[in-house]
Amino acid sequence: MRTDEAPDATARASAELLSFVASGLHREAAAAASLLRLFPPDDKEARLLRARALVLAGLPESALREYASVPLTARDALVYATALRLLGRWDEAERCLERSAPSLRTLPATASALECAALALDRGEPALGRTAQQWAQRALHEAEFGVGVGAGEGDEAGAGTGAGSDVDIVHARCLLAASYAAVGRFGAALDAADAAARLLDGLGQDALLRRLDSVYRLADALFYTGRRREAERRLGEALVRARDAAQEHVAGLLELGLARARLAAEDLASAGRWAERAAESARRTGGVPLAVDAALCLAQVRLAANDIAGALEAAETAVRDARALGGVWRDRAAARLREVRVVREHERPPAVPSDKAELSGGAGPLLDALSGREAQVAVLVSEGCTNQQIAARLRLSPKTVETHLSRIFKKLGSTSRAQVAHWVGLTAGPARDDGG
């Protein structure tokens, strides 16, 4: 009888330990991943739990290797998609979501809708036929009204907590605010950010740790609606928690947010340090989107500090890394490289122009009259950006952009945005994606 009881006791002890580890996965992700290595290789539940811990710890590539040898549950299929999204493997993530939930197009579960919203927002393109805003609205509706997966399903690896979860509602509202800001709907973004902030402040610390990436989404919306100080405060507080919980990838995102905040405050030294930390976090986690964003931010910081060579190096790094992402990411990196090149040309000592060259439309002598910031504004005008979009890109107020634009027109002797675009094109030429 004792012989029969021993395996049962061992099994119970193992199950209890797994349950304990699962309950605290979001608090000590890296430690949980290490502990779960001690379980037998044929323990599928431990392998799945370890993969979730690795995603939270910012090791998505290791998580995918762990998942390779075990059948995925419905929840783990979402975590698998999360790992692919963090790595910037957008198409694979979308196919994973489509395979794991064929009914997503009609009635997705809360967790699935949240992941689809995050994918669409990160990628900058619709996921499974819907925009980030549409997915976030659907996730919010399901979370608030109890449609979708049953309550009680955990979200240790960021796959959601089930219908009706306060954490899901907060995350959906933060995603919604960020999605509004991403498409320039700043009034709607402000309203959504206010609602999200109130709910976020009502979460306990343990609940907040389950979705620290919500803070980054909210901060993104706050930046675009002019509330930099509030965004910076929230990012700093969340970063302390992310570091304590060893949530490496989230920490990298928060560092990136702080770099942008310091850049907006014109504290270039701090902005550069935070951008470099975000880049280092990206190297540790393998997060290509984070690496590209960190390089783009670093290029902007160096450009503002008149370190043209450093800005060019960072922009070229972003272009190289963005190749794997394609789409809007590749375009963003190319645009930043083009911006740096225009400013570099502007900073060079001008050749002595002839009257004939100026009359024939030569752009160099004309653009030499612009300041560095005016040259940046001119580049964004050439890309078709509105004043509000330029303000968002350069972290300036729309009024400041108007002032810069009026000076540009005066110096170039024009009132036409099209002519500014033409002169920029003559100066920089098309930006290539090869860093050349």
Side-chain angles (χ1 to χ4, degrees), residues 14 17 40 86 101 103 128 188 207 233 236 242 280 332 370 392 409 412 422 429:
S14 178
L17 181 56
L86 297 181
S103 63
L128 296 180
R233 173 181 63 80
E280 179 57 34
R332 284 174 58 214
L370 304 184
F409 285 150
L412 299 184
H422 175 67

Side-chain angles (χ1 to χ4, degrees), residues 140-275:
L140 182 60
H141 176 78
E142 290 162 358
E144 289 184 331
F145 295 100
V147 182
V149 297
E153 290 190 18
D155 74 330
E156 294 89 351
T161 55
S165 161
D166 288 342
V167 177
D168 277 349
I169 293 171
V170 170
H171 192 54
R173 287 196 176 277
C174 290
L175 284 167
L176 186 59
S179 68
Y180 282 138
V183 296
R185 296 185 57 187
F186 299 117
L190 183 59
D191 291 341
D194 281 338
R198 287 193 296 271
L199 291 173
L200 193 66
D201 290 339
L203 288 180
Q205 182 169 333
D206 191 71
L208 180 59
L209 281 175
R210 295 179 183 274
R211 276 296 190 186
L212 273 177
D213 54 334
S214 295
V215 179
Y216 176 74
R217 304 293 188 184
L218 174 60
D220 207 34
L222 291 172
F223 275 130
Y224 282 106
T225 52
R227 293 158 64 180
R228 175 188 60 79
R229 289 195 173 123
E230 181 185 349
E232 189 170 7
R233 173 181 63 80
R234 291 181 180 277
L235 288 165
E237 292 170 353
L239 180 59
V240 172
R241 295 186 175 100
R243 287 294 183 209
D244 288 345
Q247 294 187 24
E248 188 69 28
H249 185 81
V250 175
L253 291 173
L254 297 168
E255 288 164 345
L256 176 64
L258 286 168
R260 290 170 172 166
R262 289 289 82 206
L263 177 60
E266 299 184 356
D267 180 358
L268 301 182
S270 291
R273 286 194 295 271
W274 282 119

